[in-house]
Amino acid sequence: MSTYVYGIAPADRELPDAIEGIGDPPRPVRTVRGGDLVALCSDATTEVKADRRDLLAHQHVVIEAGREGPVLPLRFGRISPDDATVAAILEEHHDLYAERLRALAGKDEFNLKVHHDREALLHAVLAEDPDLTARHAADRASGCTGREERSVFDELVARAVAERERADALLVERTLSAHAAATVHGPGDTGHLVNLSFLVERERRDAFLEAVRALHQEHEHLREQVMGPLPPYSFVEEG
């Protein structure tokens, strides 16, 4: 058997009774100590498949262990040869892990994905550009509906939309980062305007969520999807 690692916590962290981890049947979670840190571990085979049950089990262990204080959550699938190897890694990187735990104390991650309501965006773009609105109205009034005229107008609209997308992405990040201790960008190929993760202090959680709601109220063409509070995976640089 190898040792599966869920995360890292201070050595005084007490786990809930009989907490279960990955595996079928689920394997009990234990701690492996290195200095004044512990790794949250269980036995595992050398190959772990990312099926729904095990992914949820991994998340459950991190969340339950984090109820009493900060946990450095590791991504799913971290396996070491044995407990001794885990303990040696904890001791080798002790100061770095301890610093990261202090930085995460009292904070959670919120992930925000934003996209545009295309129809509302077009209305906003036309409303904010008098020249573009006038051109659109003039073309309609004169009956200029040829391919060339449509092509020119479409190009102008596309340029205005692209500029608005850049401006809105900066607006969202700047507005919400003011309510967070840290911000990181997620993958850029998700099809969203922005994909951001925020590290938010728990006493500022309500202010952060209110700022998200205010963005939508003030900019109705923005559509937001917020997930959280989550374990701060995006803010852990795994060694």
Side-chain angles (χ1 to χ4, degrees):
M1 280 287 182
S2 300
T3 300
Y4 184 93
V5 186
Y6 301 86
I8 299 168
D12 60 0
R13 181 63 45 81
E14 294 185 6
L15 294 177
D17 292 338
I19 186 170
E20 295 181 331
I22 65 169
D24 186 14
R27 298 185 175 92
V29 177
R30 63 181 187 279
T31 58
V32 174
R33 183 161 184 163
D36 58 1
L37 298 174
V38 293
L40 314 171
C41 303
S42 66
D43 289 336
T45 60
T46 55
E47 181 180 357
V48 178
K49 296 182 179 180
D51 60 32
R52 176 178 170 79
R53 203 217 74 82
D54 280 350
L55 287 168
L56 291 176
H58 179 105
Q59 184 86 326
H60 175 72
V61 171
V62 172
I63 291 174
E64 288 300 309
R67 294 190 187 281
E68 300 301 323
V71 171
L72 287 180
L74 302 187
R75 299 288 182 183
F76 180 87
R78 292 296 294 266
I79 297 179
S80 288
D82 49 43
D83 287 6
T85 301
V86 174
I89 292 173
L90 288 178
E91 293 177 358
E92 179 182 359
H93 300 286
H94 175 276
D95 291 348
L96 177 60
Y97 291 152
E99 179 183 353
R100 291 176 181 172
L101 282 166
R102 287 192 293 271
L104 296 178
K107 304 178 183 73
D108 296 303
E109 177 175 338
F110 285 82
N111 177 258
L112 176 75
K113 294 181 175 66
V114 178
H115 68 275
H116 276 146
D117 180 296
R118 301 302 295 183
E119 184 174 350
L121 174 62
L122 288 174
H123 283 299
V125 165
L126 291 173
E128 294 179 1
D129 190 331
D131 292 339
L132 197 58
T133 302
R135 183 186 182 99
H136 181 50
D139 286 350
R140 290 176 59 121
S142 64
C144 292
T145 58
R147 178 179 300 177
E148 183 176 350
E149 289 81 2
R150 289 199 304 271
S151 176
V152 171
F153 179 76
D154 290 347
E155 182 179 345
L156 291 172
V157 170
R159 189 180 305 165
V161 166
E163 291 175 357
R164 186 58 183 262
E165 287 176 342
R166 288 191 291 270
D168 282 344
L170 290 173
L171 171 68
V172 170
E173 182 172 0
R174 182 175 63 249
T175 300
L176 297 182
S177 290
H179 299 277
T183 305
V184 298
H185 289 255
D189 57 352
T190 61
H192 293 88
L193 179 67
V194 296
N195 178 13
L196 297 169
S197 287
F198 299 90
L199 188 64
V200 180
E201 296 175 3
R202 287 169 187 162
E203 64 261 24
R204 302 189 67 185
R205 180 186 300 176
D206 291 343
F208 174 81
L209 294 174
E210 180 57 35
V212 174
R213 287 190 288 269
L215 271 175
H216 175 66
Q217 291 171 355
E218 296 170 13
H219 306 276
E220 294 184 356
H221 60 284
L222 296 179
R223 297 291 183 266
E224 304 86 3
Q225 177 186 3
V226 184
M227 295 182 62
L230 304 167
Y233 287 102
S234 299
F235 299 89
V236 177
E237 299 176 5
E238 297 181 17

